Every structure is written in structure tokens, then in C-alpha cells.
Amino acid sequence: MASSLPAGISSLKLTVKRENGTSGRSRSMANALPRYPYLFFLSSILSSSRLTLPSSYDDFHRCRAGLLGNETQRSDLSFAPRSAHSRQSALLPRSRCFETAATRCQRSSRSNTCPGRAVQARGPEARTQCFGFWKTGGFRARFISESVYDLRSRLREAGSDLLIRFGRPEDVVDNLVGAFKKDGMDVEGVWMQKEMTSQEVQVEGDIKDRLKKHNVPLEFVHAKTLIHPNDLPFEVSETPDVFTPFRKRVEALGPTMVRPCLTPPETFKPFPPSIPSTPDYRLDVSYEVDVDGLLKKAPESVEKGKDQISFHDILQGLLRPLNDTPLSFAMNITEGSSMLQQRHPASAFPLRGGESSALERLDWYFVRGKSADSSRWGKADPPPVARYKQTRNNLIGHAYSTKMSPFLAYGSISPRVIWEALNAHESKFGEDQNTYWVRFELLWRDYFFFAAEKFGNLLYDVGGFERATDPRQAERKIEDGWWKGWDAAKDGPEHVITRLLEGRTGIPFIDANILELRESGFMSNRGRQNVASFLSKDLGYDWRIGAEFFQSHLIDYDPSSNYGNWQYVAGVGNDPRASRQFNCVKQAKDYDSHGEYVKMWIPALRNLPADNVHTPWLIDVEERRRYGLKTTQMDVTMDAYPGRPVIESESWQKHYDRKEGVGSKMHGNPQEKVKDGKVKRYKKLVPPRQNAQWNNGDGRAPQGGYQGNAQSSTMAPNFLPPMYMHNASGASPTGSADHISPSTSTTPSNHAGGSRERNTSGPPRGLRGGIGAGAAIARTGSPGGLGNAYGGASTPPFSGNVRVGSSIRGGQRGFVGGALASATGRTANVHAETGALSKADRESSWRRGAGSTAVNDGAGTEQVSVSMNNLTTSE
Ligand SMILES: Cc1cc2nc3c(=O)[nH]c(=O)nc-3n(C[C@H](O)[C@H](O)[C@H](O)COP(=O)(O)OP(=O)(O)OC[C@H]3O[C@@H](n4cnc5c(N)ncnc54)[C@H](O)[C@@H]3O)c2cc1C
């Protein structure tokens, strides 16, 4: 268990004792825990403190009733681990489920008026406050669910269990405590992690009120932040209005700044023998087969019984409202269920939720990981954190940054555990700007927490924190007309905001980031800054549109980090240079100099030369035709992309002629310095090793601190981005070539090129076989690894092959082998070579609605056929 108890997601602890117990209530949590049986439970599977249930209870119930054959019998609520499934019905009346979005809007202040929401009220749905997005989108729903069930597995391993309830926290706690009392038990107290943002604090207040009637105290633990609030050298209400003074003051605390992690107990007391019935939903998985690779011990031989429920069923129930209804009231796009549950093969966050996954990632990033195959590069190689500062602004692959944010957001890991991992790393490899920078970013996280607590509801206010810090400035920015509005009900699909949120502005760097977010639930920090600046500064729209859209889609959504950062970029928060604006064309050329990132998410642009790929509106009709690029406004398809950008800023023009690679910051930004950061060097870092061989001058070798072993004899000018940390070897540009290349030439030979990437050891990693290349093969032999191939045919008449191989640990674990073929009107073959593809990932699909099916031929080979748009293929 995480060493900063309580681990888990808004977990509550309930300590119970029989009424005739021998001792009074213990004040200290440490004392209270081991004394009597106690119970961990989660009151809501989806972010209880944020009321972000994706569905109304009615919807959920309908789905669940469907799963259970419309059974309405009340639950007998047995809590023995792996208990047989018990049936139940929805007992909460609809009217008591959720405050509607419209009600919340009526309550809000003048500056928080919600355009278009009056007509959009849809009853008890968990929609965002102003613009009606689902509060919790599919990727986060999946991530949180995985986290909860992982927590349960870990508690079971430690001799306890987790009671999972679905409902409003105040109802669930009230019901449970009431039921215990009725059964003759005395409840000593309820513990939960202290939240800081206003809506969550409101929930805490509601729980406290409900507990009062039972005479049961609510106790808090502070485990969210790196710095315990009591250790701050100022009151939270005096948190500096700007980050740097905050950082300097807390850093001055020295070694006492961060408390050490607690050592978690190895075992916990068992669950109470019986748990009384309550009218809430229980979400017990009764079918424990490792369908999703979630459980450690999977009795795979057991067939799923008629009434049994698997994790997959629960997830489907949770996602159903999202799959059935539009993403927002303005957009008619529904998220296809297959997409919602799948990890996108190109996702920068290919990890599953939960503490187990968090610790695995921590170990890889800070301890065990190597930038290249360790057998080749030797043991002295430092793990990826040693290059954090150089890589953190990259855009492709999972390795460019820690990817700790989703785990931090849902309590699966404590920032103090990361802090200690940094200490351990530094004691071996030395301290430098790379390790310091991770600490620096963790302090930003803390800063937004404390700022959110200080400024309360202003976190969600259009005028931002500036209303308190500089009311005169803020006054102008909350006047009508300062921000443009978006009326979700009236504005149609061609409205600039709708186009932005659907990734079809015609500005590739912005669109690629939005598409990445929509299709994977993640976006890099660089992307987030650019999108936020574009929406609020270039377009001048209410920044909360973007903040709510991010809230809905980000796996790592966290209220203070999200709204705090949006305010910062929009110029109404903690940035002393509020007018700062990102130049998205310059940024694209700085950070995606070769255009690989935009080509990855917008395959229509795959044939464009890097010098044009960020400004496709500059090429004429004839050239567009030559590159196979059709014009569209309505959709970004495999071969069509908007002809004109929604706006064109003069400031972009001086960057139009900048050539590929010139001024690139893809390998670190030398201007990025903390001037006063005290960085000592204990030891010289082991220099990064490279072994890149190119047999012609067109390819680029990995540079600047990346470790890669690349060999190519190809004419492919666009090699795999070095941050992919791969080994590849190649032979020729056609047929069986082993290189990774988004083809940039229109000549057939390049399109027919194949690509191959192979990784035989190491941690889970997304491997990309090739994009737009004729064929791709990706393999991973790593236990627990994720082997993803992403490739496809680009131009007729060539075929695209994607082959995915995942080795199998112990012959039975579910390994994710995701395959995605992006062919244009021609054959695409997906060949997944594994004995244990997970069910979800077996169904490879493309965001345009592709579907695929897989059958196992019995010899460890999955034959996967993929159909995309009008394309149907099989191998
Ligand atoms: C408009 C916008 C919205 C954002 N929304 C969120 C959000 O909802 N949740 C969230 O966790 N982060 C948010 N961020 C911050 C940042 O983008 C992510 O924390 C980061 O990209 C996560 O990837 P990582 O864990 O690999 O980060 P790393 O670069 O590895 O950083 C390590 C950790 O430091 C923290 N961190 C890094 N940058 C920031 C930052 N700018 N602000 C606060 N903490 C930071 C995170 O906890 C992160 O896990 C947002 C940034 C912007 C510009």
C-alpha cells in the first residue's frame, strides 16, 4: 500500500467496534486502526468528492438491470471476498440523485452565467457547470474504475477488503453508519482525505452534517500535497499570489519541507464478518477472470455464470450514458463504446489505473528503466528521469515525462513517494537540473492546491484569482464582451469552438493535440499550454469552455491543477505576465520540428513535407492534390483536412519559412532555467550513450541525450522520433524495409516501405511500428508489456500490415496487444501474434469508427480483421 495512508480514491475509513467494546474512541488514527475490525470503502466509484458520476442513477440502473435480467430484488450485501453475486435494484429516487447543472448555474455568480444551459438541463446528469460536458469522460471512468479494483486487490492481499459503493458520498456514509448502528455496532469515526477545492469541501461539510446525527466524528488526513499544510511557513490564506515567492519560501524549509513517508502495515485486520444492508449500489465483481488484466490471480478456467458480473460489465454500465448521448449539448458526437474503453495504441499514457500500476511506473521511470535495451547498453545507464528536463516538452511516446499525474490525481500514489524516489535516484546518480525539475513541477502542483484553497470558488470564476489579487484589472475582464461566449444550444457545428473541440481548426498543431486528448485521454503539458492559449488568447473565448472540456476528457483531471493552469494561461490567474501568449506555429516548429506528432494524430497530413505540415493552408490546390489531401470542413478524415485555418495570426507569418529542424527545442529548451534553483552535483552523471548509424544522410539519428540504436539504409527522411526509445534496424525503403517512416514522398516506393520495431525487454512501452508507412511490425517481449503497432497503408495500391506481438508471462497473463491500422481505402492487415490479447484491445479500431474482431487460431496467433469506413480486410 502507498506509504502515505490512506491510499486510494477518496477513501474513507470506518472504525467500528461493538457497543460493549472495552475502550473509548481513539483520537489518533494510528491507534484507532488496529484495535477493532475496520472497513475501507469508497463511497463513489467515480471521484466522489467531485460528484462526477457519468450517469444518472436511472441510466445506471437501467444498464445494471439489463445486466441482471431486470432483477429488482434487494441486495443481501454479503461482503466476503469474492462473494457470490447478489442482486439489487436502484433504490434512490431520481430527484435525490444529483443537483442538475441548471440548478447549479442558477446559484452561480454573475460572472459565472452559463450560456445556453437553460435549455440544456437534462435532469440528474453529472455535467460540467457551464457548458454541459460530461464531468467524467470515458478514459477517466476506466482509469478510476481500474484504480478502485486494484485497491481492492491490494487490500485483499493485505488481509482486508474494500467495500465498493456507488452513490453520493454523504448518502453512502450516512446509510452505512446508520446500518451499523442499527445492528448494534458503535462507529468510532470516519476518516477521509482532506480536499481543498470548494466543491469538494462542500461535500465534506455535507458528510460531516450527516454524521452529526449519528454522533460520529469525521476525521481528515492530509495526504494530497507534498508539503503538509501545517508545515507551510505561512498560513494557507497567505499563500503568495505568484509561484516563485511560494517556491523560495518553501524551499527555504530545507530538509523539513517534505515529511517522510509512513511505512505501511503489512497486514490489516480482516473485514467485519457481516456488513449490514444499505440501499446503495454495490459494485462487486463476482466474475474474477482476468479479462482486463486487472487481477493478479486469475482462475481463467472458470466460465462466467449467467448472473455474474465482471469488471468489464461494470465499466460498460458506467460508460453507457456517455456512449449513448452526445459529448456536449452542442456536439452531436457520441463517444463510441469501443473507443472509450480502449487504450489508444499511440497514447502517451498507456498505463492502467491503480497503485500497482503507479508503483510499476515509478520503478521504471526512477529506478529500473533504461532508455534503450539494457542488455545492449549495460547497467550503468541511468533511468529516464536523468533526462527529464531534456525530454519533458516532447510530445510522442510515454517516456518523455513521469506520467505520474493521473496516479497523483486519484490518490494511487503520494507525491512524497515520488520525492523519495528522487532522493534515491540522486544518491546513486547525482542531483542535477533533471531531478530538480521534477521537484519543481511537484511544487507547482502544491502551489495550485494551496492557491485553490486560498481563493475558494474563484477557481471556477471567469475572472479567476485576479478578482482577489488585482480587482481593477479583473473588472475589465469580467465585463460583457471581454470574453466571447459560446452558446452550446445555438451555435452549430461550424462554430469556431465546435471546430476547435472536434480537432478541425485547420491548424494542425492545435488539432493534433485535441485529437490526442479525445482519443487517448491525455495531452502533453506543451499541448495543453498551446491549446489553452489558442482558445483564450488567439480566439478570445471564455477560458472555462476549455477548462470544462479538459475536465471531461483528461485522465489526470484535478480541479486545482486544471482550473489553476487554465487561469494562468488565460491571464486571470497566477501569472505575473498575464498577457503572455503562445505562438502556435512557432511552438509547432520548435517542438514538432519534423511534424511526426501532427502526422501521428492527423494521418491526412502524412504525406506533407515537414516544412509544410504545420501550415497546410499555404500550399496550393495542385500540391494538396499531389499529397493526396482533400479539403473538408466537416470532418478530419484519413485523407481530408480543412483548407483554411479558422484564424490566421500575423505573428505566425515570420515562422512560415522556418525549415525543418532549425531552432528545434525537441531535445530540451536551453532557455528554460531556474535561476536561483540550488542544484548541487554530487556525482557526475553517466553520459547518455548513443549508437546511431545511418547509411545515408537522409535519416536523423537520435540526438541530445537519447539512447537509441538505429540502423537504417533507407531513404526515409523522417525517422522515428528519438523519444520513442527503440531499437530498429533497416534494410531498404521498399518491401521489407525495417525502418519507421512517415513517408514524405509521393513516389510509390516509399509508400511501400515497411517498418519494424522490436523491443525484447524492458518495461511496458508503446511501440510504434510506423505511421503512414506501408507496413509495421512491433513486438514486445517484456513481461507486462504493452506492444502496440500503429501503421497502415497510405496510398493505393499498397497494403499495410500491422503485426503485434506480446509475449506472455507465465503463459496466462493478459497482455495488451493493441493494433491500429490506418489505411486509406486499401487493404490493411492486422496480425496480432499473442496468446492472450485482452478483450478490449483485441478489438482494434480507428477513431473514424473502425471495428475489428479477432479469433485465436489456437496456436497463439490472433487473426484480426479490421474494417474501417468502407474498408474491410482480414488476414
Ligand atoms: C491548461 C492546462 C491544464 C492542466 N490540467 C491538469 C490537470 O487537470 N491535472 C494535472 O495533474 N495537471 C494538469 N496540468 C499540468 C500538466 O500539464 C500535467 O500535470 C502534466 O502534463 C502531467 O504529465 P506528467 O505526470 O508526465 O508530468 P511531469 O512533467 O512528469 O511532472 C511531474 C508532476 O508534476 C506535476 N506538474 C507538472 N506540471 C504541472 C503544472 N503545470 N501544474 C501542476 N502540476 C504540474 C504533476 O503532478 C506531474 O505529474 C495542466 C496544464 C495546463 C497547461
Side-chain angles (χ1 to χ4, degrees):
M1 305 298 300
S3 37
S4 66
L5 285 170
I9 302 152
S10 305
S11 61
L12 304 179
K13 285 199 201 83
L14 191 69
T15 311
V16 294
K17 67 183 171 89
R18 291 269 163 214
E19 225 147 33
N20 58 359
T22 51
S23 110
R25 190 171 67 79
S26 164
R27 275 271 150 230
S28 118
M29 188 179 113
N31 288 341
L33 287 182
R35 195 167 249 146
Y36 298 104
Y38 52 88
L39 189 62
F40 294 95
F41 70 98
L42 296 164
S43 58
S44 158
I45 194 168
L46 289 175
S47 183
S48 60
S49 56
R50 290 176 200 107
L51 301 176
T52 49
L53 300 171
S55 62
S56 70
Y57 275 122
D58 281 0
D59 280 341
F60 184 72
H61 172 55
R62 260 200 305 279
C63 177
R64 193 176 159 81
L67 288 170
L68 301 178
N70 287 318
E71 185 58 67
T72 51
Q73 191 186 325
R74 209 181 158 111
S75 166
D76 64 359
L77 295 165
S78 108
F79 290 95
R82 302 182 187 217
S83 62
H85 166 67
S86 57
R87 297 160 185 167
Q88 64 177 62
S89 65
L91 298 172
L92 285 177
R94 186 186 173 106
S95 59
R96 286 180 51 78
C97 293
F98 293 103
E99 170 182 42
T100 66
T103 334
R104 276 196 297 277
C105 285
Q106 282 156 18
R107 272 201 335 212
S108 49
S109 68
R110 176 172 68 97
S111 59
N112 274 328
T113 47
C114 306
R117 291 294 293 120
V119 288
Q120 292 156 5
R122 289 172 62 109
E125 292 177 339
R127 298 280 189 170
T128 58
Q129 182 161 312
C130 294
F131 298 97
F133 302 104
W134 286 113
K135 275 191 170 183
T136 300
F139 290 106
R140 190 160 78 255
R142 178 184 179 126
F143 183 83
I144 296 173
S145 308
E146 287 169 347
S147 306
V148 169
Y149 289 98
D150 178 70
L151 178 61
R152 187 181 70 160
S153 301
R154 293 179 73 86
L155 281 167
R156 285 178 176 181
E157 275 168 20
S160 187
D161 209 334
L162 180 73
L163 178 66
I164 301 172
R165 285 287 181 271
F166 184 84
R168 289 207 303 192
E170 57 273 32
D171 293 334
V172 175
V173 174
D174 185 4
N175 290 339
L176 203 57
V177 170
F180 269 114
K181 291 220 142 190
K182 216 166 143 205
D183 259 24
M185 308 274 278
D186 182 28
V187 178
E188 282 196 358
V190 174
W191 278 262
M192 71 184 286
Q193 182 161 276
K194 185 78 188 87
E195 299 287 339
M196 284 143 173
T197 34
S198 54
Q199 292 174 9
E200 286 68 36
V201 170
Q202 169 76 43
V203 176
E204 288 170 2
D206 292 346
I207 296 176
K208 201 166 190 160
D209 288 348
R210 301 283 278 274
L211 285 173
K212 257 190 211 143
K213 75 173 190 221
H214 299 293
N215 212 13
V216 167
L218 178 63
E219 311 272 2
F220 293 106
V221 280
H222 286 276
K224 272 205 124 154
T225 49
L226 187 63
I227 305 167
H228 195 286
N230 297 348
D231 299 343
L232 287 174
F234 40 76
E235 294 296 318
V236 172
S237 58
E238 278 155 27
T239 300
D241 293 337
V242 175
F243 172 69
T244 305
F246 165 84
R247 177 177 60 78
K248 287 183 181 170
R249 290 190 66 186
V250 295
E251 282 180 342
L253 293 169
T256 61
M257 181 171 86
V258 179
R259 294 185 184 187
C261 296
L262 302 175
T263 312
E266 271 173 22
T267 56
F268 290 96
K269 289 236 169 169
F271 242 33
S274 68
I275 308 277
S277 297
T278 65
D280 314 297
Y281 289 112
R282 50 178 294 180
L283 291 179
D284 277 1
V285 171
S286 53
Y287 175 67
E288 302 266 352
V289 172
D290 190 13
V291 175
D292 299 280
L294 284 170
L295 296 168
K296 292 230 154 66
K297 293 165 204 119
E300 292 194 25
S301 53
V302 181
E303 283 284 308
K304 183 178 160 188
K306 197 165 144 266
D307 284 340
Q308 286 189 302
I309 292 202
S310 70
F311 171 78
H312 210 74
D313 297 330
I314 286 177
L315 192 61
Q316 263 184 354
L318 294 172
L319 294 177
R320 184 162 157 169
L322 281 76
N323 294 336
D324 290 351
T325 51
L327 191 64
S328 96
F329 297 112
M331 296 192 260
N332 269 332
I333 312 163
T334 54
E335 302 270 9
S337 59
S338 59
M339 283 315 300
L340 283 171
Q341 293 169 40
Q342 276 186 25
R343 291 181 184 83
H344 194 288
S347 172
F349 188 80
L351 310 167
R352 78 168 78 104
E355 189 185 7
S356 308
S357 175
L359 295 178
E360 227 174 89
R361 173 71 183 185
L362 187 83
D363 184 44
W364 182 76
Y365 197 81
F366 292 90
V367 184
R368 189 171 45 89
K370 305 276 181 269
S371 301
D373 184 338
S374 56
S375 60
R376 190 171 192 102
W377 296 102
K379 295 267 183 276
D381 245 10
V385 65
R387 278 179 281 283
Y388 172 76
K389 189 163 173 286
Q390 291 159 295
T391 55
R392 60 182 283 270
N393 280 311
N394 289 339
L395 305 164
I396 304 178
H398 66 89
Y400 62 78
S401 62
T402 67
K403 301 297 179 296
M404 281 289 130
S405 56
F407 302 113
L408 285 165
Y410 294 96
S412 300
I413 200 162
S414 155
R416 292 178 213 159
V417 174
I418 303 174
W419 197 260
E420 293 195 353
L422 283 161
N423 292 344
H425 173 89
E426 286 173 353
S427 65
K428 196 167 166 202
F429 294 102
E431 181 183 347
D432 68 357
Q433 284 283 334
N434 291 291
T435 48
Y436 176 71
W437 217 275
V438 179
R439 299 185 193 275
F440 180 86
E441 295 298 347
L442 289 172
L443 286 179
W444 263 111
R445 178 176 174 273
D446 266 27
Y447 178 63
F448 282 126
F449 273 120
F450 295 125
E453 189 172 0
K454 172 178 173 179
F455 294 115
N457 232 8
L458 288 183
L459 184 67
Y460 308 105
D461 193 293
V462 73
F465 299 152
E466 202 178 45
R467 285 186 88 162
T469 58
D470 191 348
R472 272 185 49 198
Q473 274 290 336
E475 203 51 45
R476 288 188 309 134
K477 298 184 193 167
I478 57 175
E479 275 169 15
D480 279 352
W482 180 272
W483 301 105
K484 289 185 220 163
W486 176 52
D487 187 328
K490 288 197 208 129
D491 294 323
E494 279 318 297
H495 189 274
V496 63
I497 287 295
T498 318
R499 283 182 63 178
L500 171 65
L501 302 184
E502 291 178 357
R504 48 187 182 89
T505 62
I507 302 151
F509 194 56
I510 298 297
D511 291 339
N513 275 291
I514 292 283
L515 292 170
E516 179 185 8
L517 176 63
R518 290 174 54 107
E519 292 173 21
S520 76
F522 198 84
M523 190 195 289
S524 68
N525 186 55
R526 183 61 40 190
R528 295 180 204 199
Q529 288 174 318
N530 272 281
V531 168
S533 172
F534 183 74
L535 185 148
S536 61
K537 299 250 172 84
D538 292 68
L539 298 179
Y541 276 85
D542 185 339
W543 60 270
R544 293 171 306 172
I545 301 169
E548 290 191 1
F549 183 75
F550 274 30
Q551 173 176 356
S552 180
H553 284 77
L554 280 174
I555 297 178
D556 67 11
Y557 168 69
D558 174 279
S560 51
S561 286
N562 186 55
Y563 283 84
N565 271 292
W566 268 95
Q567 287 199 10
Y568 187 94
V569 180
V572 296
N574 308 100
D575 187 358
R577 291 192 285 150
S579 59
R580 192 182 340 220
Q581 185 167 346
F582 285 73
N583 180 324
C584 60
V585 171
K586 176 179 185 301
Q587 290 274 313
K589 295 201 171 204
D590 282 352
Y591 294 100
D592 185 30
S593 186
H594 312 305
E596 280 109 345
Y597 176 72
V598 297
K599 290 182 183 188
M600 185 156 100
W601 294 102
I602 313 174
L605 302 176
R606 67 197 172 282
N607 296 329
L608 263 63
D611 290 342
N612 298 119
V613 76
H614 293 301
T615 50
W617 58 89
L618 297 179
I619 56 176
D620 60 29
V621 178
E622 184 47 43
E623 275 179 301
R624 280 178 84 87
R625 200 170 298 128
R626 197 140 45 85
Y627 296 130
L629 187 59
K630 293 185 197 141
T631 298
T632 176
Q633 282 227 326
M634 292 308 290
D635 195 8
V636 180
T637 63
M638 286 300 300
D639 56 0
Y641 188 71
R644 297 288 316 154
V646 288
I647 55 157
E648 189 180 3
S649 160
E650 255 180 47
S651 66
W652 299 349
Q653 288 170 6
K654 61 175 179 279
H655 303 282
Y656 283 171
D657 293 333
R658 197 165 117 199
K659 295 286 171 216
E660 181 186 3
V662 175
S664 165
K665 295 180 180 164
M666 289 164 68
H667 309 304
N669 181 354
Q671 285 148 12
E672 204 178 43
K673 279 191 207 108
V674 179
K675 291 195 192 80
D676 56 329
K678 291 187 190 67
V679 178
K680 280 184 294 179
R681 270 186 168 272
Y682 297 132
K683 248 187 225 173
K684 205 168 180 294
L685 275 178
V686 180
R689 292 176 54 180
Q690 289 189 24
N691 177 18
Q693 278 183 20
W694 292 85
N695 297 339
N696 68 48
D698 285 319
R700 280 186 310 279
Q703 304 162 7
Y706 294 102
Q707 295 180 339
N709 172 33
Q711 294 184 338
S712 175
S713 314
T714 74
M715 295 297 291
N718 282 335
F719 192 72
L720 180 75
M723 60 292 256
Y724 250 83
M725 297 182 183
H726 66 285
N727 296 317
S729 61
S732 84
T734 56
S736 61
D738 291 330
H739 72 274
I740 315 299
S741 166
S743 300
T744 54
S745 158
T746 49
T747 57
S749 61
N750 274 354
H751 285 299
S755 55
R756 191 170 77 165
E757 182 180 1
R758 193 181 168 87
N759 186 286
T760 48
S761 68
R765 58 180 65 181
L767 298 177
R768 187 181 67 168
I771 296 168
I777 302 175
R779 275 167 184 276
T780 174
S782 71
L786 181 70
N788 293 322
Y790 178 175
S794 49
T795 303
F798 303 103
S799 299
N801 300 305
V802 180
R803 223 164 112 102
V804 182
S806 297
S807 77
I808 296 159
R809 183 166 64 186
Q812 56 169 323
R813 272 299 300 275
F815 277 74
V816 179
L820 184 139
S822 53
T824 312
R826 280 294 181 275
T827 310
N829 300 319
V830 176
H831 181 87
E833 196 180 27
T834 171
L837 273 182
S838 83
K839 189 172 167 225
D841 291 89
R842 188 184 294 153
E843 294 161 7
S844 147
S845 72
W846 176 240
R847 67 186 158 89
R848 302 295 159 222
S852 69
T853 50
V855 279
N856 195 317
D857 67 3
T861 301
E862 296 276 354
Q863 306 286 339
V864 183
S865 56
V866 180
S867 56
M868 278 169 287
N869 300 332
N870 46 10
L871 162 81
T872 308
T873 58
S874 66
E875 184 181 86

